[in-house]
Structures are given as structure tokens and as C-alpha cells.
Amino acid sequence: MSNKTAKTNAVRILDSHKIPYELREYEVDEEHIDALHVADSLGVNPEGIFKTLVLKGNVEPIIIAVIPANTHLDMKKFAKISGNKNCEMLPLKDLLNVTGYIRGGCSPIGMKKQFPTYIEELAILQDQICISAGKRGLQIILNAEDLGILINAKFEDITQFDL
């Protein structure tokens, strides 16, 4: 991490819990802030970059999904696993107010509240995964199980792969 990089809330939380991690910076391209672009920028396989999705359920008002960049959330599976009949993406205009984060910089660590969180179970098969550090241009590499324990997440089969 360079000296000019300010610690984000997510990084401070990891430090306070003494969870090992590595920070990786990348050049932000405002036109391409998706997880696949981040993977390309960092030279990391897309299955190692996990994006944080914020959804609304009909039972649970806010639910979080953390999934690999090369997959899509399976909305039917996710609704059922999260105890909802259906769910939909939180409108982008509400993201900052609900989570404290903006699109392209939404971390599952350090949201305004601890929401029910589900991580794609494939994360467990990897030594480490890469998630947003809470701002565009900065990623955290850490052990998926450490992340799950920290944010009280459940590991579930919630994705479908791109064809």
C-alpha cells in the first residue's frame, strides 16, 4: 500500500480484528468499474475477484451477496436461501444511503449496518479472494473463511456461470 492511500473503514475493521490481508491498488477507469475490469487491471483471474451486490427482499429488506466476477447471481436460488419469496437489486440511487458505499467501491466489510450476507460457496475452495476495500481503486485480498467469520456470512450456492 502506498503512503498516499488512506485506510478505508473496511481496512480499519480488518486491522482491529487482526485479520491478515493484502491491499492492491489499481487505476480507476470511470467508464469500466465492474469486477471483470478490476480483475483485468490487477492481473487476477475473474473467479478470484468477488463483487458485492446489495438486494432488497420481500421479507428481508436488505440482503448482501458476494459472488465471483465471472458469475451472475441466481435470483431464484438467492431468494430461497435468504428466506425471501423474491428479491431484486437495490436501486443504485439508494446504495450510498443504505451501505455507505458507492458503486464500484462497495465492500461487504464496514457497511452502515450488518446485513444478512451470503458468499458464493466456491470462495471456500480458494486460498484467498479479492474484494473491494470500500473505495474504487483499492482491493483487499484475504482468506474467504476469515471474511465469512468477520461479517457473519453464510457460504451458499447462489450463482450461475456465464455461458
Side-chain angles (χ1 to χ4, degrees):
M1 182 169 83
S2 70
N3 291 337
K4 67 181 187 336
T5 302
K7 282 194 174 181
T8 63
N9 194 33
V11 172
R12 284 190 290 275
I13 291 168
L14 288 170
D15 286 345
S16 71
H17 286 86
K18 298 182 177 18
I19 294 174
Y21 65 90
E22 176 189 338
L23 285 179
R24 298 275 304 273
E25 289 183 271
Y26 64 94
E27 196 67 39
V28 177
D29 176 353
E30 294 296 332
E31 297 294 311
H32 303 97
I33 57 173
D34 60 276
L36 287 172
H37 181 75
V38 173
D40 190 47
S41 297
L42 292 175
V44 176
N45 285 332
E47 59 268 9
I49 299 275
F50 279 64
K51 53 189 174 184
T52 302
L53 305 177
V54 183
L55 297 97
K56 297 186 327 183
N58 68 307
V59 175
E60 197 64 59
I62 302 293
I63 341 158
I64 309 301
V66 182
I67 65 171
N70 64 334
T71 65
H72 288 296
L73 184 64
D74 185 316
M75 296 296 252
K76 286 184 178 173
K77 275 198 255 186
F78 187 68
K80 184 175 182 181
I81 284 168
S82 65
N84 290 276
K85 194 172 264 187
N86 54 55
C87 56
E88 61 185 32
M89 293 297 293
L90 182 74
L92 199 52
K93 65 178 178 52
D94 298 334
L95 186 65
L96 180 60
N97 190 42
V98 169
T99 66
Y101 292 124
I102 61 170
R103 180 173 178 257
C106 189
S107 178
I109 303 170
M111 290 188 182
K112 287 184 174 182
K113 277 181 59 182
Q114 182 64 58
F115 300 108
T117 303
Y118 300 85
I119 301 172
E120 168 53 46
E121 65 187 7
L122 293 171
I124 298 275
L125 301 176
Q126 300 189 46
D127 290 337
Q128 296 187 312
I129 63 169
C130 194
I131 60 169
S132 174
K135 72 175 197 175
R136 292 177 184 166
L138 192 62
Q139 293 282 303
I140 296 169
I141 299 172
L142 77 169
N143 177 275
E145 291 184 59
D146 287 345
L147 173 63
I149 292 166
L150 177 67
I151 62 174
N152 196 28
K154 294 181 177 152
F155 289 90
E156 299 283 352
D157 174 16
I158 57 174
T159 60
Q160 57 190 21
F161 284 90
D162 294 340
L163 297 176

